[in-house]
Amino acid sequence: SGGSTLTMQVARLLEESGPSTIGELATAAYPALDARLLPAARGSVWAHLVDLQERGLVQHHDEQWNIAP
C-alpha cells in the first residue's frame, strides 16, 4: 500500500493547504521550477491526484481538489 513518495507529497500538500487547484499544487510541489516546465508539473500533479482519487483519498469539485471526508 502507500503509493509513490510524490503521490504522498501531493496528498500532504492538499492536507496542509486545503482546497487547491492543480496549478496551486504544482507550484507548491515544485517551488523552484522554471515556469516553462509548469505545464509538465501540472500534468504530473494531476496524475497523482487521479491515483489518490481512485483510492478514495481525495475528491474534486470543479477546479478545486481536497482531501476526501
Side-chain angles (χ1 to χ4, degrees):
S1 74
S4 79
T5 303
L6 188 53
T7 301
M8 293 298 100
Q9 179 186 356
V10 169
R12 275 194 304 277
L13 285 169
L14 207 47
E15 283 178 333
E16 292 167 6
S17 63
S20 302
T21 65
I22 289 173
E24 290 165 345
L25 290 167
T27 301
Y30 305 100
L33 192 66
D34 186 304
R36 292 170 294 185
L37 298 177
L38 271 174
R42 284 193 294 268
S44 175
V45 167
W46 177 81
H48 292 293
L49 287 168
V50 168
D51 179 34
L52 290 164
Q53 183 181 30
E54 288 174 351
R55 292 193 271 151
L57 300 174
V58 303
Q59 61 187 14
H60 71 94
H61 179 71
D62 295 328
E63 299 294 313
Q64 295 287 314
W65 289 78
N66 203 352
I67 297 296

